[in-house]
Amino acid sequence: MKALHESPLATQAPARAGWKANPIIYEINTWVWLNQLSGAYDRPITLAKVPARELEALASWQFDAVWLMGLWHRGPATRASALNYLHEYRQALPDVTEADVPGSAFAIRDYRVEERLGGRDGLAIFRQQLREHGIKLILDFVPNHVAADHRWLFEHPEYFVCGALEDLEMQPNSFFSIGEAADEPLVVARGRDPYFPAWIDTAQLNAFDPGLRRALIDILIDIGDQCDGLRCDMAMLMSNDIFAETWNGYVGETPSVDFWPEVIPAVRAAHPQMLFMAEVYWDLEREMQRQGFDYTYDKRMYDRLVHGEAGDIRTHLQADLSYLQSNIRFIENHDEPRAMETFGEDRQRSAAALICTLPGATLLHQGQIEGRRIKLPVQISRGAQESIRPMLERFYRRLLREVSHPLYHEGRWRLVEPEPMHPADYTQNNLLMYAWTSAGDARLVVVNLSGEWSRAAIRLDEWLPLEIGMWLLYDILSESYTKHSGAALLERGLQLEAPPYGAHILRFDQNSG
């Protein structure tokens, strides 16, 4: 194939140094995973002792990064709070016991790797093993709150949002006290999202306090010694505007510099290659990108996929490319229901094909590939046994092998507008189509988000310099070929049908035979 047309609108933005553009990230529930391995090998497995065959199996999926969720020390208060809800965990793990409950992974007492998981030295060993397989490591950071027994409550109470005794009396679920024996006990706010009840196992940090900001920068620099990237929990809650509105009357004057524009550059001064990923909602993705994040959660895309809104997704994909490239997309994670429950197997395939082949990062979740249905609470360390779905696993194997191709990290992307195949047929509106191209290579991605057969005609001459002769279109997901005349493709375009919830990734090969 001769060189393809290049569109300046589709040029890939440079990735953070040391990182691929459009990485595939795999989230692992660390405690659950190591417990599964310990059971499979009938011996304790920590991060220092992950068997080589398990690392090779992980690497075989060609993930660009692994996010180890929940490896920081949680502490006795976090666990004690979680034990109050033991009965609720039985929905996910019917034989759950107190021994299975270390507490919430997001009520952190100390940013040190839990010793039972291997400690700091074990993490260093595991990180080096990932590096040898070309995989980067992402860890958690929770900026908004800490565990309710964190040492700062005694050493630096100014780091917290504090109230008065009447706040505690009127809002006992939103405030707690320490030092009850004192004449004036310290009343501290529990961490919260303004739209939901407070997290009762946490203490709310004061994003406006300069001493706290310096302390968090120091923590992040230390975490940066141990990983390549950070997933920042509920990142928008620390933004000046949102924090001031949430805690109006409890905190002082808003600082002149926002939280993340102060913190992120300071961390990157020590770790220039550190990737920052934000969990963010409320349509604040662009704002968090402006404040320094490499990737922000694309929750709107997730919601539109859940509802099968092809037209809205097409509009979503008409945003400027720099924005699309700075989103991270998912169809499940530890907060959302399992994809098998939300989408089922067929819909999951089309949704997964979409998120994995768009500009931007992709987040896959432990158990998603196997088709697991049970969503695990982040307070427990063990999961129930579930059967896997071999055909779904095989689909993901093909998809991830395909998107590891340099085309998806270095190539050029553009939307393709489908046209009706017949005047009275409007099913092309069910289809999302886009192309990846580079010199000598091209892919056309076609995703049907509807439950009906859908048809479309696609003009190729705008982005693919077709020549007279025969062309083979190889469908990578079905591993099948169709043969086409170059003259016919130039005259009529490509005409195709997509089955309900079908997905195609078509590679264009000129047939020299």
Side-chain angles (χ1 to χ4, degrees):
M1 183 188 297
K2 68 181 182 181
L4 300 172
H5 294 308
E6 296 183 349
S7 167
L9 296 177
T11 301
Q12 285 293 310
R16 179 149 304 281
W19 285 81
K20 285 182 181 179
N22 312 324
I24 305 292
I25 299 168
Y26 186 59
E27 178 189 0
I28 291 176
N29 185 323
T30 313
W31 212 308
V32 171
W33 183 56
L34 293 176
N35 271 340
Q36 288 174 348
L37 294 182
S38 298
Y41 286 88
D42 197 27
R43 57 184 171 86
I45 301 292
T46 68
L47 291 170
K49 299 178 180 179
V50 176
R53 63 191 291 185
E54 298 298 332
L55 287 157
E56 290 164 2
L58 193 63
S60 72
W61 291 99
Q62 303 184 69
F63 303 124
D64 298 301
V66 163
W67 163 22
L68 286 184
M69 187 274 287
L71 53 64
W72 302 122
H73 178 57
R74 307 182 190 190
T78 298
R79 183 169 187 267
S81 176
L83 286 172
N84 292 321
Y85 303 92
L86 191 66
H87 59 287
E88 295 185 6
Y89 310 146
R90 291 196 175 97
Q91 298 177 39
L93 186 63
D95 63 341
V96 67
T97 69
E98 290 190 3
D100 298 315
V101 185
S104 171
F106 297 95
I108 296 168
R109 190 187 194 199
D110 193 10
Y111 283 96
R112 59 180 173 84
V113 181
E114 194 72 54
E115 290 302 323
R116 289 178 58 184
L117 302 179
R120 187 175 184 125
D121 291 343
L123 178 63
I125 291 169
F126 183 71
R127 183 190 184 193
Q128 179 57 37
Q129 291 171 323
L130 288 180
R131 278 178 168 174
E132 291 169 1
H133 289 285
I135 301 173
K136 295 185 180 298
L137 177 64
I138 295 174
L139 300 179
D140 294 309
F141 176 59
V142 183
N144 184 64
H145 52 261
V146 293
D149 57 352
H150 196 283
R151 60 182 172 81
W152 283 348
L153 286 162
F154 305 95
E155 298 173 3
H156 293 284
E158 71 275 13
Y159 288 180
F160 296 88
V161 174
C162 295
L165 285 174
E166 51 264 35
D167 294 308
L168 180 61
E169 293 168 0
M170 296 179 64
Q171 304 177 66
N173 292 327
S174 297
F175 290 85
F176 69 102
S177 65
I178 58 174
E180 284 79 358
D183 292 337
E184 293 187 23
L186 181 68
V187 176
V188 181
R190 300 188 189 276
R192 70 181 178 96
D193 169 335
Y195 297 104
F196 292 94
W199 297 296
I200 64 169
D201 52 357
T202 68
Q204 175 66 53
L205 294 170
N206 182 358
F208 290 174
D209 185 79
L212 173 70
R213 291 189 177 190
R214 289 192 297 270
L216 291 179
I217 288 169
D218 290 341
I219 286 173
L220 285 169
I221 290 172
D222 183 61
I223 296 174
D225 291 335
Q226 303 170 72
C227 67
D228 307 290
L230 290 160
R231 182 267 187 186
C232 298
D233 187 71
M234 299 293 283
M236 72 285 182
L237 294 182
M238 301 298 273
S239 293
N240 281 357
D241 290 348
I242 291 173
F243 193 83
E245 184 175 351
T246 304
W247 296 106
N248 182 34
Y250 292 96
V251 293
E253 186 177 346
T254 302
S256 59
V257 179
D258 218 318
F259 179 84
W260 293 111
E262 179 175 342
V263 169
I264 291 177
V267 177
R268 287 209 174 119
H271 301 292
Q273 296 184 343
M274 180 64 65
L275 182 137
F276 278 81
M277 179 171 73
E279 179 191 21
V280 56
Y281 306 109
W282 315 333
D283 295 328
L284 291 170
E285 298 87 356
R286 285 186 187 270
E287 176 59 22
M288 290 295 97
Q289 292 167 19
R290 186 190 67 79
Q291 292 191 21
F293 282 93
D294 298 286
Y295 294 106
T296 55
Y297 270 34
D298 194 348
K299 181 64 160 58
R300 185 168 291 276
M301 171 67 84
Y302 171 80
D303 291 339
R304 286 170 168 169
L305 281 170
V306 169
H307 294 101
E309 300 169 350
D312 288 340
I313 292 174
R314 188 177 296 109
T315 300
H316 190 92
L317 297 179
Q318 291 170 353
D320 62 87
L321 190 63
S322 64
Y323 173 71
L324 297 178
Q325 290 169 330
S326 299
N327 276 319
I328 181 164
R329 301 181 184 87
F330 50 85
I331 55 174
E332 74 169 55
N333 57 50
H334 68 266
D335 286 317
E336 304 293 350
R338 287 290 195 180
M340 277 299 300
E341 286 295 299
T342 303
F343 297 92
E345 186 163 343
D346 289 341
R347 285 186 66 206
Q348 179 179 170
R349 292 171 191 250
S350 60
L354 183 73
I355 66 169
C356 288
T357 56
L358 286 172
T362 303
L363 178 64
L364 302 175
H365 184 218
Q366 178 188 6
Q368 175 180 339
I369 286 169
E370 298 89 346
R372 298 190 186 277
R373 288 186 175 272
I374 299 174
K375 179 179 181 290
L376 296 181
V378 296
Q379 293 86 355
I380 67 176
S381 62
R382 182 168 62 91
Q385 292 292 324
E386 292 187 69
S387 59
I388 66 171
R389 290 169 168 76
M391 295 303 292
L392 182 63
E393 199 171 32
R394 185 180 177 189
F395 163 82
Y396 273 107
R397 180 75 67 180
R398 290 176 184 166
L399 177 61
L400 293 177
R401 182 174 59 239
E402 166 65 12
V403 297
S404 69
H405 191 285
L407 179 66
Y408 298 91
H409 305 283
E410 303 167 7
R412 298 172 181 274
W413 178 88
R414 64 175 295 165
L415 274 173
V416 174
E417 189 65 33
E419 299 177 358
M421 191 180 293
H422 307 293
D425 187 350
Y426 301 100
T427 57
Q428 83 279 359
N429 293 324
N430 299 327
L431 302 176
L432 295 169
M433 297 185 179
Y434 44 89
W436 284 97
T437 58
S438 67
D441 210 351
R443 302 287 192 278
L444 176 68
V445 180
V446 180
V447 177
N448 183 4
L449 295 179
S450 77
E452 63 176 325
W453 280 88
S454 300
R455 292 156 292 278
I458 306 105
R459 291 182 58 84
L460 304 175
D461 54 336
E462 293 182 358
W463 57 274
L464 182 68
L466 291 170
E467 298 174 348
I468 300 300
M470 298 307 297
W471 289 79
L472 296 177
L473 270 61
Y474 178 59
D475 188 340
I476 287 155
L477 297 180
S478 67
E479 298 181 325
S480 60
Y481 279 101
T482 56
K483 199 170 187 178
H484 300 264
S485 159
L489 290 174
L490 282 169
E491 180 181 352
R492 300 192 300 270
L494 175 64
Q495 300 186 345
L496 56 79
E497 284 189 307
Y501 308 120
H504 305 283
I505 302 177
L506 302 176
R507 187 181 74 210
F508 290 76
D509 297 331
Q510 193 163 16
N511 185 12
S512 58

